[in-house]
């Protein structure tokens, strides 16, 4: 087709008004498409559905996190302490002129019940200290002393703890009684159901405390036999307020065989 014929056909189309009808219709079609798109985005149900989906997803994720936090999956597993490890721990008295000695001196002759206090100002620790102190008359009958160790000496914390604990208290600066593998419970503890149950139990028992000192390194309770009789009970705090079973403490204490002169020579 020659350029002249193409030009003439185009002129005829233009003069006949075909271009005027096709082009505006095409533009109108795209405008309608844009109107449909905008009306879809402006539909409140579209956004409410999206927000609802996000909300359901967030609730599901939170529920899963809460469930996992209340299992023992993420809890650090305690490592059992060897007798030799505990014997070699250095402790200090709390007087101004502190005396340093080896921990084995506490149980060498008569055995001992020892509480590794997580934090003296913690009302949960005060509750457990009071529970252990309730055993003091029976422990005295068995000739078994009751002791506690703390990992720091902050202000009057030990002094304020003493009314709850009826035994001598010593300082474990290197935090060895909290090992061999130190375990910590951080803010995950505050979403654990068991911890809140422990909180309410202690509150209902009339115990109170403060926030002084380090309280994330978990403590425990030991019942030590004299000499090489060994560790008769080792309770490692699993979560805040996880107390030792008092019956188990007494049962272990009754197994203690005091060191005699003959056994000392052996």
């Amino acid at each position: 087709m020659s350029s002249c014929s193409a030009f003439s056909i185009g002129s005829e189309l233009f003069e006949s008004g075909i271009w005027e009808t096709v082009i505006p219709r095409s533009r109108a079609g795209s405008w309608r498409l844009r109107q449909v798109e905008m009306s879809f985005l402006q539909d409140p149900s579209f956004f409410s559905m999206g927000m609802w989906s996000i909300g359901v997803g967030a609730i599901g994720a939170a529920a899963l996190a809460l469930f996992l936090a209340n299992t023992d999956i993420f809890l650090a597993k305690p490592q059992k302490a060897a007798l030799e490890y505990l014997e070699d721990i250095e402790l200090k008295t709390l007087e101004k002129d502190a005396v340093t000695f080896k921990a084995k001196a506490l149980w060498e002759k008569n055995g001992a019940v020892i509480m590794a206090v997580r934090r003296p100002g913690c009302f949960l620790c005060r509750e457990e200290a009071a529970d252990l102190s309730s055993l003091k008359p029976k422990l005295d009958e068995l000739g078994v002393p009751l002791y506690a160790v703390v990992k720091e000496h902050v202000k009057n914390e030990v002094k304020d703890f003493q009314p709850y604990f009826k035994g001598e208290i010593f300082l474990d600066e290197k935090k060895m009684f909290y090992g061999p593998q130190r375990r910590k419970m951080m803010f995950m503890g505050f979403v654990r159901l068991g911890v809140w149950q422990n909180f309410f139990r202690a509150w209902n028992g009339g115990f109170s405390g403060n926030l002084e000192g380090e309280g994330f390194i978990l403590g425990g309770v030991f019942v030590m036999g004299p000499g090489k009789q060994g560790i008769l009970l080792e309770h490692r705090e699993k979560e805040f307020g996880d107390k030792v079973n008092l019956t188990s403490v007494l049962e272990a204490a009754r197994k203690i065989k005091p060191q005699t002169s003959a056994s000392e020579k052996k």
Side-chain angles (χ1 to χ4, degrees):
M1 183 183 293
S2 66
S3 59
C4 292
S5 60
F7 180 79
S8 62
I9 292 173
S11 300
E12 290 174 1
L13 289 172
F14 185 82
E15 290 174 359
S16 65
I18 293 177
W19 285 113
E20 292 179 2
T21 57
V22 172
I23 292 174
R25 285 178 184 174
S26 176
R27 289 176 179 173
S30 74
W31 174 249
R32 290 193 192 96
L33 181 60
R34 289 193 187 96
Q35 282 184 320
V36 171
E37 290 175 350
M38 291 302 293
S39 63
F40 178 74
L41 293 173
Q42 291 173 359
D43 185 0
S45 64
F46 170 73
F47 287 103
S48 61
M49 184 180 296
M51 294 302 294
W52 184 82
S53 301
I54 293 171
V56 169
I59 292 171
L64 178 61
L66 189 62
F67 169 76
L68 292 175
N70 279 277
T71 66
D72 295 346
I73 295 174
F74 297 110
L75 295 182
K77 299 298 183 289
Q79 180 181 343
K80 294 289 185 181
L83 177 62
E84 293 74 18
Y85 170 85
L86 296 175
E87 286 179 331
D88 203 43
I89 294 174
E90 287 188 351
L91 299 176
K92 287 184 178 181
T93 58
L94 296 174
E95 295 88 10
K96 186 176 180 180
D97 299 323
V99 177
T100 302
F101 63 95
K102 294 291 185 181
K104 68 178 181 180
L106 297 180
W107 62 81
E108 203 165 23
K109 292 184 178 181
N110 298 310
V113 175
I114 304 171
M115 177 182 180
V117 183
R118 180 167 50 81
R119 190 171 63 82
C122 172
F123 69 108
L124 295 172
C125 298
R126 291 176 174 182
E127 180 196 28
E128 184 168 27
D131 286 353
L132 286 171
S133 295
S134 70
L135 300 179
K136 188 74 164 57
K138 294 181 179 178
L139 293 176
D140 287 344
E141 288 177 9
L142 296 170
V144 178
L146 176 64
Y147 300 116
V149 296
V150 294
K151 58 176 106 81
E152 56 186 356
H153 193 186
V154 180
K155 299 180 181 179
N156 294 322
E157 291 306 292
V158 175
K159 182 180 178 182
D160 294 340
F161 181 73
Q162 193 73 65
Y164 303 95
F165 189 77
K166 307 303 180 184
E168 290 186 75
I169 302 174
F170 303 98
L171 178 62
D172 177 14
E173 283 184 319
K174 296 180 180 178
K175 305 177 181 65
M176 301 296 285
F177 262 102
Y178 304 85
Q181 178 186 350
R182 291 178 203 164
R183 297 167 303 114
K184 286 187 177 183
M185 173 160 282
M186 305 298 285
F187 298 105
M188 182 182 72
F190 297 102
V191 297
R192 288 180 64 87
L193 179 61
V195 172
W196 283 99
Q197 289 175 334
N198 297 338
F199 282 166
F200 287 119
R201 182 195 65 220
W203 279 327
N204 290 334
F207 293 92
S208 60
N210 56 55
L211 299 176
E212 294 287 344
E214 195 284 325
F216 295 120
I217 298 176
L218 298 172
V221 174
F222 300 84
V223 178
M224 307 296 300
K228 296 299 180 182
Q229 190 178 359
I231 304 168
L232 302 176
L233 182 143
E234 181 177 355
H235 167 75
R236 298 286 185 171
E237 192 179 19
K238 182 177 76 171
E239 60 187 6
F240 300 147
D242 175 31
K243 298 191 298 181
V244 68
N245 183 286
L246 297 181
T247 302
S248 299
V249 172
L250 273 180
E251 288 176 354
R254 291 191 178 105
K255 295 177 183 177
I256 291 176
K257 300 173 182 176
Q259 196 86 335
T260 62
S261 300
S263 59
E264 284 177 4
K265 290 179 182 178
K266 291 180 183 178

